[in-house]
Amino acid sequence: MPDNSKHSRQPFGQYPRVRMRRNRSDDWVRRLTAEQVLTPADFIWPVFVKEGGAAKEPVPSLPGVNRLTVPALVKAAEQAARLGIPMLSLFPYVPKEKKTDDAREAYRKGNVIDKAIRAIKQAVPEIGIMSDVALDPYISHGQDGLERGGRILNDETIEVLIKQSLALAESGVDVIGPSDMMDGRIGRIRDALDAAGHSHVKIMAYSAKYASNFYGPFRDAVGSKSALGRADKRTYQMDPANGDEAMREAALDVAEGADMLMVKPGLPYLDVLWRMKQAFKMPTFAYQVSGEYAMLKAAAGKGWLDNDKCVLETLMCFKRAGADGILTYSAVEACALLKRL
Ligand code: PBG
């Protein structure tokens, strides 16, 4: 029988023969037709390590996040491995006395990151360890690079980043994450690692790292906020206005030998993540940064948002936008939620 009903002549012609809601009717069919899944293997857990004192020290602007001593960090690593989290990303809390203008603490054998990597590698060899390459936790003025006459020096900074990368490799790091945004650092670090026999160490380039205002709580956690004062990082981190420029940054990092790419921050930059994944087809990661975590925790604390549901929703959105994995302070809580919800 010819279908000359009014609906078949509408621009989207098939209503109500096609009913999108049929595949949403029940939990089983929703699960069956889901385009993405979230698993513990999607998470990289950023953790803060400190020397001595109480085992755990809360970071007020990051509720639920603690700075840990090395023994407490080893326990956290065991927990993460049990949950199936593939990798940790280690960040140091460095007391003021150890910060200098040349950031030499960054590559000192026996610094807190060196101790942490060795201890985790010994106790939990099955978990991957990543660590940042940048000078900000170690430098008296809180910038990611060396400064002279009010300018952040590119090439001189790279020489220090190379020392830091080699030190991390010596400690046993699996992945280094240059987060400094100096030009040409991926290639120089790659060459230096290879020449020193560390060709197995992987590089996750913070390819598109924006000069974002969402890093505030992180700077509290590593103790670089007061050092930085009113200064900003806009001469090396990217302008939030720019997307094409992020593709050029990523192209350089790929050409220089990066193994994995990253976009940071996360949710406000999903378009950049999508473009980068589509353009390069590289393992591509998103960093759900401290400010994003803090916003959600603050709203949930007031009872304005459902923390658990929003955590999983945000993480799923990264997957939909093309992320192969997400650095998130919610990694452990998300593993518990995946089992429960
Ligand atoms: C340091 C670094 C920062 C973050 C990761 N590595 C801060 C910054 O660039 O000032 C931010 C992470 C977060 O906010 O969660 N280079």
Side-chain angles (χ1 to χ4, degrees):
M1 202 169 88
D3 180 357
N4 55 6
S5 75
K6 144 171 152 255
H7 297 305
S8 68
R9 282 179 270 109
Q10 288 184 346
F12 295 101
Q14 310 214 36
Y15 173 86
R17 196 174 297 130
V18 173
R19 288 181 184 270
M20 297 302 288
R21 291 181 57 196
R22 268 197 289 268
N23 287 345
R24 300 175 196 147
S25 64
D26 297 278
D27 182 60
W28 64 263
V29 70
R30 290 192 293 268
R31 284 190 289 123
L32 188 66
T33 58
E35 296 172 36
Q36 302 290 338
V37 280
L38 205 54
T39 81
D42 291 318
F43 305 141
I44 299 170
W45 187 26
V47 286
F48 300 103
V49 57
K50 62 170 187 135
E51 203 124 29
K56 287 185 177 191
E57 197 172 81
V59 182
S61 52
L62 288 172
V65 174
N66 296 291
R67 299 182 191 118
L68 305 173
T69 57
V70 173
L73 177 62
V74 168
K75 285 206 190 98
E78 281 163 0
Q79 181 194 17
R82 264 199 312 277
L83 290 167
I85 294 173
M87 184 160 79
L88 304 178
S89 183
L90 307 185
F91 294 97
Y93 173 76
V94 182
K96 220 173 166 176
E97 323 75 85
K98 292 204 169 148
K99 295 178 197 263
T100 57
D101 280 352
D102 58 4
R104 57 183 175 271
E105 179 67 9
Y107 51 87
R108 184 176 66 81
K109 198 173 157 59
N111 72 12
V112 70
I113 290 287
D114 177 38
K115 286 181 187 154
I117 294 171
R118 289 177 195 275
I120 298 170
K121 275 288 155 204
Q122 182 157 25
V124 201
E126 67 273 25
I127 201 159
I129 305 180
M130 166 169 163
S131 196
D132 246 37
V133 168
L135 305 183
D136 51 317
Y138 305 102
I139 208 155
S140 36
H141 48 66
Q143 296 283 357
D144 288 12
L146 303 175
E147 187 198 309
R148 197 184 308 132
R151 289 189 188 279
I152 303 303
L153 308 173
N154 195 89
D155 301 8
E156 292 84 342
T157 295
I158 289 180
E159 300 307 322
V160 188
L161 298 176
I162 287 173
K163 289 185 192 170
Q164 186 182 18
S165 303
L166 291 173
L168 289 166
E170 283 298 321
S171 308
V173 86
D174 297 296
V175 180
I176 60 168
S179 73
D180 52 281
M181 292 297 279
M182 296 299 121
D183 289 324
R185 88 278 202 214
I186 299 296
R188 291 288 318 282
I189 290 172
R190 181 73 271 163
D191 289 348
L193 287 171
D194 291 353
H198 301 299
S199 59
H200 56 284
V201 172
K202 305 164 220 325
I203 300 181
M204 181 188 291
Y206 282 69
S207 296
K209 178 170 181 181
Y210 285 85
S212 172
N213 298 295
F214 288 99
Y215 305 150
F218 171 96
R219 293 177 187 167
D220 289 333
V222 300
S224 68
K225 192 181 234 160
S226 54
L228 196 59
R230 297 174 61 84
D232 63 53
K233 302 190 176 184
R234 288 186 293 174
T235 69
Y236 45 103
Q237 298 181 351
M238 284 183 51
D239 183 341
N242 299 349
D244 291 343
E245 189 186 350
M247 299 305 111
R248 294 184 64 206
E249 283 282 3
L252 286 167
D253 290 347
V254 172
E256 290 174 32
D259 302 287
M260 311 174 201
L261 307 180
M262 191 212 290
V263 174
K264 176 180 175 208
L267 288 190
Y269 296 84
L270 289 186
D271 58 320
V272 179
L273 173 65
W274 173 260
R275 288 176 67 177
M276 198 178 284
K277 181 63 184 179
Q278 298 304 310
F280 299 100
K281 308 289 182 198
M282 293 278 291
T284 306
F285 295 81
Y287 198 145
Q288 182 174 47
V289 300
S290 57
E292 299 176 66
Y293 175 92
M295 281 197 299
L296 179 48
K297 289 291 177 270
K302 288 194 176 272
W304 293 345
L305 287 176
D306 179 322
N307 176 74
D308 298 356
K309 291 189 173 136
C310 287
V311 163
L312 291 185
E313 180 180 337
T314 60
L315 295 172
M316 184 61 90
C317 291
F318 287 109
K319 295 289 301 278
R320 194 199 60 242
D324 294 290
I326 307 124
L327 290 96
T328 175
Y329 301 98
S330 294
V332 167
E333 69 169 326
C335 289
L337 294 173
L338 286 175
K339 284 193 191 135
R340 194 147 49 81
L341 293 186

